[in-house]
Amino acid sequence: MKAFSVIIVFIIIGCLVLSAGCTNAPATPAVTPQATVTPAPHPATVSIANTPVQYKDVNGVRLAYWEWGSGEPVLLIEGFASMVANDSTTSAPWNETFLTILSSKYHVYAYDHRGMGYSSMNNVTPTIPIYADDAAELIKALGYDSMNVYGESMGSSTAQQLVIAHPERVRKLILDSNSYSSNIPECQILHATLIQVANDTSASPGLRAEANANLAFNGTWDGLSGINKDVMLVVGTGDVITPQAVSARMAGQINGSWLVRFNGLPHIGNRNAPVQYGENAVYFLSTNQSPLGTA
């Protein structure tokens, strides 16, 4: 019995030793799943040539339009002598990098004025108010009550008339390379160009119609002070067609408007600095401009 008791004691001690060894053994390291980091998607690069042209019948004509992106809508209104799908005789109104930046945040629509590009023209003599009516009707035809609007050069004049005549169709407004009339002294280069095109019998009917519409337009000056929208005016300090002094004067008439001047850039600067113009537009459209305490 004494020997048996000794054996039992040794067994108990051995178990205690083994238990202590298990307690002090290094723990099996926990397996932490690796987090998968998804890089921020790059915006889809816009190619006008690879974008199908679409059509809407508005105001007695068929307007050709293109669209990119998704989200809140932005309507681009092109300038004089421009076509979205341009050829060698016209200017490309919108730089594709500019379109890429803008459409990364917004649903962007661009179209050709009546008589230009793929858009038709009827027997009604075009005027700036008619171009503005076309834009208002296109917004409705595309399924919206209103859109943000970006107009450049003649498109700025059209956009000004649009917000004055159809304020319910406009959310925010960006005016680029601006004049409230082509007949003011500061815009003598523009005025001379319009007269030359209007008298050029070799020019297309749509192009001559645009020139005559600008020359006949009485302008928007009297209506600027009544605009009650968030407005940004953009101009290059090197613009000799619609000089910066005109945009500054207009900004003084539009209550609460922004004025952005790009140093050294010429008329329609998005062609020369598309990244800066695109980011500037996105910033303005995304900014809450309500006065402090009223948002």
Side-chain angles (χ1 to χ4, degrees):
M1 289 295 296
K2 183 177 180 180
F4 181 74
S5 298
V6 171
I7 293 172
I8 292 298
V9 168
F10 276 111
I11 291 174
I12 292 172
I13 293 172
C15 287
L16 291 174
V17 170
L18 289 174
S19 175
C22 291
T23 302
N24 294 329
T28 303
V31 178
T32 303
Q34 294 296 314
T36 301
V37 179
T38 303
H42 292 285
T45 302
V46 165
S47 168
I48 294 173
N50 294 331
T51 302
V53 60
Q54 302 179 74
Y55 299 91
K56 289 292 183 184
D57 292 324
V58 300
N59 212 19
V61 294
R62 174 164 290 186
L63 297 182
Y65 74 94
W66 295 254
E67 62 180 309
W68 305 275
S70 61
E72 192 175 345
V74 179
L75 182 68
L76 304 180
I77 306 182
E78 66 193 20
F80 172 69
S82 294
M83 301 188 305
V84 175
N86 66 301
D87 57 27
S88 59
T89 65
T90 59
S91 301
W94 310 109
N95 177 283
E96 290 182 341
T97 299
F98 171 83
L99 291 174
T100 297
I101 293 170
L102 196 55
S103 63
S104 71
K105 301 293 184 181
Y106 294 92
H107 195 157
V108 177
Y109 296 88
Y111 72 101
D112 284 337
H113 293 295
R114 57 172 60 208
M116 298 297 291
Y118 294 104
S119 294
S120 71
M121 191 161 80
N122 58 16
N123 58 3
V124 176
T125 300
T127 63
I128 296 298
I130 286 178
Y131 292 130
D133 292 344
D134 288 348
E137 292 298 316
L138 180 59
I139 289 170
K140 289 173 58 179
L142 291 169
Y144 297 92
D145 292 328
S146 63
M147 288 188 182
N148 299 298
V149 175
Y150 189 122
E152 62 177 18
S153 194
M154 188 190 98
S156 169
S157 300
T158 303
Q160 293 166 48
Q161 181 63 28
L162 171 64
V163 75
I164 291 169
H166 307 279
E168 74 282 359
R169 299 288 173 232
V170 179
R171 300 182 190 179
K172 288 188 173 186
L173 180 62
I174 301 176
L175 303 173
D176 181 356
S177 303
N178 313 292
S179 177
Y180 52 89
S181 170
S182 63
N183 300 314
I184 59 177
E186 294 91 341
C187 295
Q188 57 185 327
I189 294 176
L190 170 61
H191 188 266
T193 300
L194 293 171
I195 290 178
Q196 179 182 1
V197 173
N199 294 324
D200 183 0
T201 56
S202 66
S204 70
L207 186 56
R208 295 182 69 188
E210 285 190 345
N212 282 308
N214 279 275
L215 290 168
F217 187 44
N218 289 326
T220 59
W221 180 259
D222 291 341
L224 294 179
S225 60
I227 296 175
N228 188 25
K229 303 289 180 179
D230 293 335
V231 179
M232 177 172 67
L233 297 98
V234 181
V235 65
T237 63
D239 189 343
V240 298
I241 298 174
T242 54
Q244 61 169 321
V246 180
S247 287
R249 188 180 307 146
M250 292 171 63
Q253 282 291 101
I254 304 173
N255 185 42
S257 62
W258 294 21
L259 174 61
V260 177
R261 287 181 270 209
F262 285 93
N263 189 39
L265 289 181
H267 192 65
I268 308 182
N270 81 72
R271 301 172 184 173
N272 301 85
V275 173
Q276 292 88 335
Y277 270 67
E279 291 178 348
N280 180 60
V282 167
Y283 178 79
F284 172 76
L285 292 173
S286 64
T287 298
N288 179 1
Q289 294 175 232
S290 300
L292 292 175
T294 65

